[in-house]
Short mmCIF file of all heavy atoms in Angstrom, two decimals:
data_model
loop_
_atom_site.label_atom_id
_atom_site.label_comp_id
_atom_site.label_asym_id
_atom_site.label_seq_id
_atom_site.Cartn_x
_atom_site.Cartn_y
_atom_site.Cartn_z
N ALA K 219 -10.48 -1.21 4.96
CA ALA K 219 -9.14 -0.61 4.99
C ALA K 219 -8.94 0.09 6.36
O ALA K 219 -8.33 1.08 6.43
CB ALA K 219 -8.97 0.32 3.85
N THR K 220 -9.45 -0.56 7.40
CA THR K 220 -9.34 0.07 8.71
C THR K 220 -8.03 -0.22 9.42
O THR K 220 -7.57 0.51 10.32
CB THR K 220 -10.40 -0.46 9.68
OG1 THR K 220 -10.16 -1.88 9.84
CG2 THR K 220 -11.77 -0.27 9.14
N GLY K 221 -7.39 -1.26 9.02
CA GLY K 221 -6.16 -1.66 9.75
C GLY K 221 -6.38 -2.34 11.05
O GLY K 221 -5.44 -2.65 11.78
N SER K 222 -7.74 -2.55 11.44
CA SER K 222 -8.04 -3.09 12.68
C SER K 222 -8.89 -4.36 12.45
O SER K 222 -9.76 -4.42 11.63
CB SER K 222 -8.84 -2.07 13.45
OG SER K 222 -9.76 -2.63 14.26
N PRO K 223 -8.61 -5.39 13.34
CA PRO K 223 -9.42 -6.64 13.20
C PRO K 223 -10.94 -6.44 13.33
O PRO K 223 -11.66 -7.18 12.70
CB PRO K 223 -8.85 -7.53 14.39
CG PRO K 223 -7.53 -6.96 14.72
CD PRO K 223 -7.60 -5.49 14.41
N SER K 224 -11.36 -5.35 14.03
CA SER K 224 -12.80 -5.18 14.13
C SER K 224 -13.37 -4.70 12.75
O SER K 224 -14.60 -4.69 12.58
CB SER K 224 -13.07 -4.13 15.17
OG SER K 224 -12.46 -2.94 14.86
N GLY K 225 -12.56 -4.24 11.84
CA GLY K 225 -13.02 -3.79 10.55
C GLY K 225 -13.77 -4.85 9.78
O GLY K 225 -14.86 -4.53 9.17
N ILE K 226 -13.32 -6.02 9.75
CA ILE K 226 -13.99 -7.10 8.91
C ILE K 226 -15.37 -7.39 9.54
O ILE K 226 -16.31 -7.62 8.89
CB ILE K 226 -13.21 -8.42 8.83
CG1 ILE K 226 -11.81 -8.11 8.27
CG2 ILE K 226 -13.88 -9.42 8.01
CD1 ILE K 226 -11.01 -9.32 7.96
N LYS K 227 -15.40 -7.38 10.87
CA LYS K 227 -16.71 -7.64 11.60
C LYS K 227 -17.72 -6.61 11.21
O LYS K 227 -18.82 -6.93 10.84
CB LYS K 227 -16.43 -7.70 13.08
CG LYS K 227 -17.43 -8.44 13.91
CD LYS K 227 -16.90 -8.72 15.28
CE LYS K 227 -18.04 -9.05 16.19
NZ LYS K 227 -18.76 -7.81 16.71
N LEU K 228 -17.25 -5.33 11.26
CA LEU K 228 -18.16 -4.24 10.77
C LEU K 228 -18.53 -4.38 9.35
O LEU K 228 -19.71 -4.15 8.98
CB LEU K 228 -17.49 -2.85 11.04
CG LEU K 228 -18.32 -1.62 10.68
CD1 LEU K 228 -19.58 -1.56 11.36
CD2 LEU K 228 -17.51 -0.40 10.92
N ALA K 229 -17.57 -4.84 8.48
CA ALA K 229 -17.91 -4.99 7.09
C ALA K 229 -19.06 -5.98 6.85
O ALA K 229 -19.89 -5.74 6.04
CB ALA K 229 -16.64 -5.46 6.38
N LEU K 230 -19.03 -7.02 7.68
CA LEU K 230 -20.07 -8.00 7.52
C LEU K 230 -21.48 -7.53 7.98
O LEU K 230 -22.48 -8.08 7.60
CB LEU K 230 -19.74 -9.34 8.29
CG LEU K 230 -18.54 -10.06 7.78
CD1 LEU K 230 -18.21 -11.31 8.57
CD2 LEU K 230 -18.72 -10.47 6.24
N GLU K 231 -21.44 -6.40 8.78
CA GLU K 231 -22.72 -5.80 9.14
C GLU K 231 -23.22 -4.82 8.06
O GLU K 231 -24.37 -4.43 8.06
CB GLU K 231 -22.51 -5.08 10.46
CG GLU K 231 -22.33 -6.05 11.61
CD GLU K 231 -21.80 -5.34 12.92
OE1 GLU K 231 -21.93 -4.13 13.05
OE2 GLU K 231 -21.23 -6.09 13.80
N CYS K 232 -22.25 -4.37 7.16
CA CYS K 232 -22.62 -3.37 6.11
C CYS K 232 -23.05 -4.07 4.82
O CYS K 232 -23.83 -3.58 4.04
CB CYS K 232 -21.42 -2.54 5.81
SG CYS K 232 -20.72 -1.66 7.16
N ILE K 233 -22.55 -5.25 4.61
CA ILE K 233 -22.64 -5.82 3.24
C ILE K 233 -24.05 -6.38 3.03
O ILE K 233 -24.73 -7.03 3.86
CB ILE K 233 -21.58 -6.96 3.04
CG1 ILE K 233 -21.40 -7.35 1.52
CG2 ILE K 233 -21.86 -8.18 3.92
CD1 ILE K 233 -20.67 -6.23 0.80
N ALA K 234 -24.58 -6.20 1.77
CA ALA K 234 -25.90 -6.70 1.41
C ALA K 234 -25.75 -8.24 1.08
O ALA K 234 -24.63 -8.67 0.75
CB ALA K 234 -26.38 -5.99 0.17
N PRO K 235 -26.85 -8.95 1.18
CA PRO K 235 -26.73 -10.42 0.72
C PRO K 235 -26.14 -10.52 -0.73
O PRO K 235 -26.44 -9.67 -1.52
CB PRO K 235 -28.20 -10.85 0.68
CG PRO K 235 -28.89 -9.94 1.77
CD PRO K 235 -28.16 -8.63 1.64
N THR K 236 -25.30 -11.46 -0.87
CA THR K 236 -24.52 -11.72 -2.12
C THR K 236 -23.46 -10.72 -2.43
O THR K 236 -22.84 -10.81 -3.51
CB THR K 236 -25.40 -11.94 -3.36
OG1 THR K 236 -25.89 -10.70 -3.84
CG2 THR K 236 -26.56 -12.90 -3.15
N GLY K 237 -23.23 -9.78 -1.54
CA GLY K 237 -22.18 -8.74 -1.74
C GLY K 237 -20.82 -9.27 -1.50
O GLY K 237 -20.59 -10.40 -1.10
N LYS K 238 -19.85 -8.44 -1.86
CA LYS K 238 -18.43 -8.82 -1.67
C LYS K 238 -17.72 -7.85 -0.77
O LYS K 238 -17.83 -6.65 -0.94
CB LYS K 238 -17.75 -8.88 -3.08
CG LYS K 238 -18.27 -9.97 -3.96
CD LYS K 238 -17.34 -10.08 -5.23
CE LYS K 238 -17.58 -11.41 -5.94
NZ LYS K 238 -18.86 -11.37 -6.79
N VAL K 239 -17.01 -8.39 0.19
CA VAL K 239 -16.14 -7.58 1.10
C VAL K 239 -14.70 -7.79 0.63
O VAL K 239 -14.18 -8.87 0.59
CB VAL K 239 -16.30 -8.09 2.53
CG1 VAL K 239 -15.30 -7.30 3.47
CG2 VAL K 239 -17.72 -7.87 3.04
N VAL K 240 -14.12 -6.63 0.27
CA VAL K 240 -12.65 -6.65 -0.12
C VAL K 240 -11.81 -6.32 1.07
O VAL K 240 -12.02 -5.28 1.69
CB VAL K 240 -12.40 -5.69 -1.26
CG1 VAL K 240 -10.96 -5.75 -1.69
CG2 VAL K 240 -13.33 -5.96 -2.46
N VAL K 241 -10.94 -7.18 1.45
CA VAL K 241 -10.12 -7.07 2.69
C VAL K 241 -8.77 -6.61 2.33
O VAL K 241 -8.02 -7.29 1.61
CB VAL K 241 -10.04 -8.37 3.51
CG1 VAL K 241 -9.33 -8.14 4.85
CG2 VAL K 241 -11.46 -8.96 3.76
N LYS K 242 -8.39 -5.38 2.78
CA LYS K 242 -7.12 -4.81 2.47
C LYS K 242 -6.15 -4.76 3.67
O LYS K 242 -4.98 -4.57 3.54
CB LYS K 242 -7.38 -3.38 2.03
CG LYS K 242 -7.63 -3.22 0.48
CD LYS K 242 -6.36 -3.58 -0.24
CE LYS K 242 -6.59 -3.47 -1.73
NZ LYS K 242 -5.29 -4.05 -2.45
N SER K 243 -6.68 -4.82 4.91
CA SER K 243 -5.83 -4.60 6.08
C SER K 243 -4.94 -5.81 6.31
O SER K 243 -5.35 -6.97 6.03
CB SER K 243 -6.69 -4.43 7.35
OG SER K 243 -7.51 -3.25 7.20
N THR K 244 -3.76 -5.60 6.75
CA THR K 244 -2.93 -6.72 7.17
C THR K 244 -2.92 -6.74 8.69
O THR K 244 -2.75 -5.71 9.38
CB THR K 244 -1.49 -6.63 6.67
OG1 THR K 244 -1.04 -5.18 6.81
CG2 THR K 244 -1.35 -6.95 5.24
N PHE K 245 -3.21 -7.92 9.33
CA PHE K 245 -3.40 -7.97 10.74
C PHE K 245 -2.24 -8.83 11.42
O PHE K 245 -1.82 -9.77 10.78
CB PHE K 245 -4.69 -8.66 11.10
CG PHE K 245 -5.90 -8.00 10.42
CD1 PHE K 245 -6.53 -8.71 9.48
CD2 PHE K 245 -6.30 -6.75 10.79
CE1 PHE K 245 -7.64 -8.13 8.88
CE2 PHE K 245 -7.42 -6.23 10.24
CZ PHE K 245 -8.07 -6.88 9.25
N ASN K 246 -1.96 -8.46 12.59
CA ASN K 246 -1.08 -9.28 13.43
C ASN K 246 -1.91 -10.37 14.22
O ASN K 246 -1.50 -11.48 14.45
CB ASN K 246 -0.28 -8.50 14.43
CG ASN K 246 1.06 -8.13 13.81
OD1 ASN K 246 1.60 -8.88 13.05
ND2 ASN K 246 1.56 -6.93 14.17
#
Side-chain angles (χ1 to χ4, degrees):
T220 62
S222 148
S224 59
I226 303 189
K227 204 163 159 281
L228 178 60
L230 293 179
E231 292 165 19
C232 301
I233 195 73
T236 75
K238 291 188 166 78
V239 175
V240 180
V241 184
K242 274 290 181 191
S243 300
T244 44
F245 308 111
N246 269 327

